[in-house]
Amino acid sequence: MNLRSTTALCVALSLCALLAIPRNFPGLGGDARLTLVVFVLATCAWIGTSIDDTYIALGAGLALTVTGVISSDTLFGTLGDATVWLLICAFVLAAAVSRTGLAGRAAVFLVSGARTVRQLVHLTTAALVVTAFAVPATSGRAALALPVFLALAKVLADRKRLVVMLALLFPTVILLSAVATLIGAGAHLITVSVLWETTGQHIGFTQWLLLGLPLAVASSHLAAELVLLTTTRRADRRGPVHITPEQIQRHSEQPVTGPWSQAEKRCTLLLATVIVLWCSEPLHRVPPALVALIGAVIASSPALGTVRLKDALKTVPWSLLLFMAATMAMGVALADSGAAQWLVSGLPTNESPVLFLTVVIAVSTAAHLLLQSRSARSSVLVPLVVAAAVGVGVNPVAAALASTAAAGFCHTLPASAKPVTLFSQITGAPTYAPRDLLRLSAVLAPLTAALVLFFAVAVWPLLGVSVTR
């Protein structure tokens, strides 16, 4: 057992022992005590052990159900939540897009127009931001973008520093741009669920898009500039760049030039229709999950589809969905038992809203050093942030969104996020070292945290989400 596991175990046992003594914390009810015990054990297990995150979450959900803190209907009902269905259907749509090779064509369309290194970096960033609308979850987008990177790496093989820079650029932008859409990360769906269960406030696909897309664009291009400056030298950036579609085609298995196939045309039309319907939800009132289900059925249909349903369902991260469902149940238990309210009851109620948001954003930004799973971070932080926000008079929607957006920073170590791990282990092309990540994170972490705070205080109020209640 390593030091981290030993420390987590000692902390968990100490806190549970304190909670088990009835005389301690007299204002804490029985259900709240049980909830906090389970919550502490799950959090310490996520931090200090190598046990699968989903297994821990399911064990926590089961413990809360067996002890009567939540009902079995609550536990199993989370699997039928509309957000879970939205993610399932979005993965089916993403499988159809991946099968057609549209990603390669889109990359060629953008990247082949670059004439300087800076243009290449920002055009690539724009392309990666757009993928947030087509592919759910950051790991899926990383897998989709990897062949594009490898093709670019082979074209730029004689300029090693540029290849290393692109290897770092791809996961950096993928992680920061996830906040653009509701389906960008499982953590977003957990945040929406917690807000609905605890405050009754619902954030739809369109509202999340309105609030998240500007932040995603700003943070992604800021990060792109920082990656460029911290990874390359002036001489590397000075040389011209000329990438042709033919060069990329030589290193791509799927056609990226020439006439479009019927499958590509159908898939593009379907994806565009689904995105338009998602964005226009306030006009037609059709829930995003239902739109996604219709799109998934068409994408996998024998006549019009581009992928078989059973093949598409193999790409769905069922482990992530079970994790989300179990942690949603944990959030319900924290709220309904009064545990979350008790945890934040000692906070000063006259605290400045800006100071409160600053603390929330700072903690959420640093949380990836302890909790590697983005969804686990939101599962732990968002219920507490929402309860604390209500207590100090801050709008819980603003606080939850700020926490979730700040938690999207997870670039410090290769193991901090799956996209970072994936691109750090590339074979056949030069990639970044841990020191490159540390150099970037030292600058990027405070700047992205400051950007999230700026949006929460100055931009989101203009879009209908005020700082105070």
Side-chain angles (χ1 to χ4, degrees):
M1 185 178 291
N2 58 32
L3 179 61
R4 184 170 179 170
S5 299
T6 303
T7 303
L9 179 62
C10 291
V11 170
L13 293 177
S14 300
L15 291 174
C16 291
L18 289 173
L19 290 167
I21 300 174
R23 289 178 298 177
N24 292 335
F25 319 117
L28 200 59
D31 284 353
R33 286 178 186 273
L34 287 172
T35 300
L36 287 177
V37 166
V38 172
F39 188 74
V40 166
L41 290 174
T43 303
C44 290
W46 281 327
I47 294 173
T49 72
S50 58
I51 302 173
D52 184 79
D53 291 341
T54 302
Y55 187 84
I56 295 170
L58 287 174
L62 181 61
L64 291 170
T65 305
V66 170
T67 54
V69 177
I70 59 174
S71 66
S72 59
D73 289 342
T74 299
L75 176 64
F76 297 129
T78 54
L79 275 173
D81 191 272
T83 55
V84 173
W85 278 92
L86 173 62
L87 201 58
I88 293 173
C89 297
F91 269 100
V92 174
L93 287 168
V97 173
S98 301
R99 183 66 61 91
T100 61
L102 285 174
R105 286 190 182 273
V108 167
F109 174 76
L110 287 171
V111 173
S112 60
R115 293 296 176 265
T116 66
V117 173
R118 184 164 271 108
Q119 285 181 356
L120 174 64
V121 166
H122 287 283
L123 287 173
T124 301
T125 298
L128 291 172
V129 172
V130 171
T131 62
F133 295 90
V135 182
T138 53
S139 56
R141 292 168 63 204
L144 181 70
L146 183 59
V148 177
F149 163 75
L150 292 174
L152 291 175
K154 291 173 183 176
V155 173
L156 299 170
D158 58 333
R159 304 175 71 174
K160 181 179 177 181
R161 285 187 182 274
L162 291 189
V163 176
V164 173
M165 180 272 295
L166 288 174
L168 186 55
L169 176 71
F170 271 70
T172 298
V173 174
I174 286 170
L175 289 167
L176 292 179
S177 61
V179 73
T181 70
L182 183 59
I183 62 172
H188 302 170
L189 305 179
I190 292 173
T191 298
V192 169
S193 175
V194 170
L195 279 171
W196 173 251
E197 294 289 344
T198 56
T199 68
Q201 294 177 276
H202 175 68
I203 300 180
F205 187 94
T206 306
Q207 187 181 11
W208 190 290
L209 181 69
L210 180 66
L211 299 169
L213 182 57
L215 175 59
V217 172
S219 61
S220 296
H221 284 280
L222 171 65
E225 195 65 27
L226 292 176
V227 169
L228 180 63
L229 295 176
T230 59
T231 312
T232 61
R233 298 171 181 169
R234 184 172 297 177
D236 302 318
R237 300 190 292 271
R238 189 178 297 123
V241 171
H242 183 61
I243 301 174
T244 65
E246 290 73 23
Q247 287 176 311
I248 297 180
Q249 181 64 79
R250 284 199 294 269
H251 305 290
S252 177
E253 296 179 358
Q254 295 175 314
V256 296
T257 59
W260 286 42
S261 66
Q262 290 299 318
E264 288 175 321
K265 293 177 181 177
R266 291 197 305 268
C267 190
T268 302
L269 178 61
L270 175 62
L271 183 62
T273 303
V274 168
I275 292 174
V276 168
L277 289 174
W278 277 341
C279 296
S280 58
E281 178 192 357
L283 298 177
H284 53 70
R285 300 295 181 183
V286 179
L290 184 57
V291 172
L293 180 57
I294 295 171
V297 169
I298 296 174
S300 57
S301 65
L304 301 175
T306 59
V307 64
R308 292 190 301 176
L309 182 59
K310 67 177 183 179
D311 294 332
L313 290 176
K314 291 178 182 177
T315 68
V316 177
W318 297 105
S319 178
L320 172 62
L321 296 176
L322 289 173
F323 178 89
M324 285 173 49
T327 52
M328 285 177 188
M330 290 175 63
V332 172
L334 279 170
D336 291 353
S337 68
Q341 187 60 44
W342 179 83
L343 282 173
V344 300
S345 59
L347 293 177
T349 57
N350 58 348
E351 186 175 334
S352 164
V354 176
L355 177 60
F356 175 80
L357 288 175
T358 301
V359 173
V360 166
I361 291 169
V363 171
S364 300
T365 301
H368 72 282
L369 297 174
L370 292 177
L371 285 168
Q372 294 178 354
S373 167
R374 191 172 188 164
S375 298
R377 292 198 293 277
S378 288
S379 302
V380 172
L381 292 173
V382 173
L384 302 181
V385 167
V386 170
V390 172
V392 299
V394 173
N395 185 351
V397 174
L401 285 174
S403 174
T404 305
F409 176 85
C410 36
H411 303 68
T412 307
L413 302 170
S416 294
K418 290 178 183 177
V420 180
T421 304
L422 177 63
F423 277 84
S424 70
Q425 297 175 348
I426 291 172
T427 57
T431 188
Y432 49 85
R435 65 176 179 275
D436 298 313
L437 286 172
L438 292 174
R439 188 188 308 117
L440 174 65
S441 296
V443 183
L444 185 58
L447 287 181
T448 53
L451 187 63
V452 172
L453 180 62
F454 171 75
F455 267 77
V457 173
V459 179
W460 289 344
L462 300 177
L463 302 174
V465 177
S466 60
V467 175
T468 56
R469 301 184 68 189

